[in-house]
Amino acid sequence: MVSLTFNSPIENLDFPLFREKAITVDMKRDDMIHPFISGNKWRKLKYPLREARRQGKTRLVSFGGAWSNHLLALACAGARFGFRTLAFVRGEAVSNPNLSLCRLFGMELRFVTRQAYRDKVTLFADHAAHDEGAFFIDEGGHGPDGARGCEELVDELGDTYDHIFCACGTGTTLAGLHNGIVEKGWATRLHGVPVLAGGDFIRGSLDRLSRHDVAGRVALHMAYHFGGYAKTTPELNAFIQHFCAHTGILVEPVYTGKLCFAVFDLVARNQFSRGNRILLIHTGGLTGILGMHQQLVEPEKSV
Ligand SMILES: *Cc1c(COP(=O)(O)O)cnc(C)c1O
């Protein structure tokens, strides 16, 4: 059976700002689902992996950048559930802690030019021509099966929230949450925080993956990308430092740090009513810190 079944816990975030504004903010700890098959990456892989198993496939083939949380999740899930894994990695051959972990979990890596990377269908077809066991999984686990796994998060919420927030890369997670919430008949307002500049394309992704009208139900907050994907600023770094030190919950600058910053900022700007209940989804992805720890926190100087 391809499963990692347990409901991730929900924890309250206790900050003076939230008390002052009389707002409850909880966090769904999907980062606790697994250390490497992290958060939303597990949810997005669940149904593709089951489909691969059903079809008797033996090798999962996917795509990503050198710091992809998705590739690491796939490498580990492949090892755990008995699939070989092959990744086409965008750009020149490099080595970093994320790729070393992928290799450790037995993933085969092929570096391809940015040009070749754009045509994933051809990359896959060339490989599959001599490997019948190959099974295609899109970059980041993007797609309807990915959204379906994310939808299940909603079933784990014992309580209803006025607002639910998540960080967005492709928008697959947000689309799944939207489907789940509409089908529950909840009035919950859903919010996405795009972590890339120009996150407007997420609207298109939402429209394609949602079974229900998105208009007026999902808010995208475009002002929290901090310069673009995997970019950070001293302000975001200082916020992350404060958040981690205050809660014991790790967030990082690529996804969840931007998410948390956005919620704190919106609360401070009185965008919610007193008594509102807000849920943040911690989508995991903590190994991203391995590539940024030096710019995130300054080490002490020796005296
Ligand atoms: C991949 C990832 C996301 C983005 O999810 P989408 O479904 O592509 O929007 C968010 N948070 C973390 C930690 C991720 O690794």
Side-chain angles (χ1 to χ4, degrees), residues 40-41 44 69 167-173 252 255-256 283-285:
N40 67 343
K41 298 303 184 284
K44 292 198 273 187
N69 294 326
C168 301
T170 64
T172 306
T173 305
E252 44 66 57
Y255 293 103
T256 49
T283 38

Side-chain angles (χ1 to χ4, degrees), residues 36-242:
F36 303 112
I37 313 176
S38 92
N40 67 343
K41 298 303 184 284
W42 162 246
R43 294 193 187 271
K44 292 198 273 187
L45 284 172
K46 178 176 167 184
Y47 287 101
L49 261 60
R50 288 190 180 175
E51 183 57 20
R53 173 66 50 84
R54 196 188 66 76
Q55 294 182 20
K57 300 294 188 183
T58 52
R59 192 190 313 267
L60 308 170
V61 180
S62 196
F63 310 84
W67 280 101
S68 166
N69 294 326
H70 162 71
L71 289 185
L72 177 55
L74 188 74
C76 185
R80 168 127 181 195
F81 298 115
F83 296 98
R84 292 164 189 267
T85 51
L86 166 65
F88 289 98
V89 184
R90 186 179 56 233
E92 274 174 38
V94 290
S95 195
N96 70 33
N98 192 59
L99 293 176
S100 295
L101 287 168
C102 289
R103 291 187 183 99
L104 207 48
F105 288 123
M107 178 174 260
E108 184 190 336
L109 304 177
R110 283 194 208 150
F111 293 91
V112 293
T113 63
R114 278 159 200 278
Q115 173 91 15
Y117 186 85
R118 267 181 223 124
D119 192 356
K120 301 186 182 68
V121 175
T122 300
L123 287 173
F124 178 78
D126 288 350
H127 170 77
H130 55 86
D131 177 8
E132 285 183 352
F135 185 84
F136 178 95
I137 297 182
D138 206 349
E139 178 174 19
H142 177 60
D145 279 349
R148 184 174 161 213
C150 295
E151 187 175 337
E152 293 178 349
L153 185 154
V154 177
D155 294 330
E156 296 172 22
L157 304 180
D159 217 340
T160 51
Y161 287 90
D162 300 296
H163 303 275
I164 297 181
F165 275 80
C166 79
C168 301
T170 64
T172 306
T173 305
L174 192 67
L177 294 173
H178 175 67
N179 287 334
I181 287 170
V182 174
E183 265 147 58
K184 293 270 183 224
W186 293 348
T188 307
R189 190 156 168 75
L190 188 60
H191 302 257
V193 178
V195 302
L196 312 88
D200 273 320
F201 73 91
I202 288 170
R203 288 248 162 247
S205 167
L206 260 177
D207 284 336
R208 280 193 302 282
L209 295 173
S210 298
R211 289 190 298 273
H212 307 278
D213 196 9
V214 178
R217 294 206 56 129
V218 183
L220 289 180
H221 300 277
M222 302 293 187
Y224 300 100
H225 60 71
F226 292 87
Y229 185 71
K231 296 271 175 21
T232 185
T233 66
E235 188 188 20
L236 180 61
N237 292 346
F239 169 80
I240 289 173
Q241 159 87 80
H242 172 70

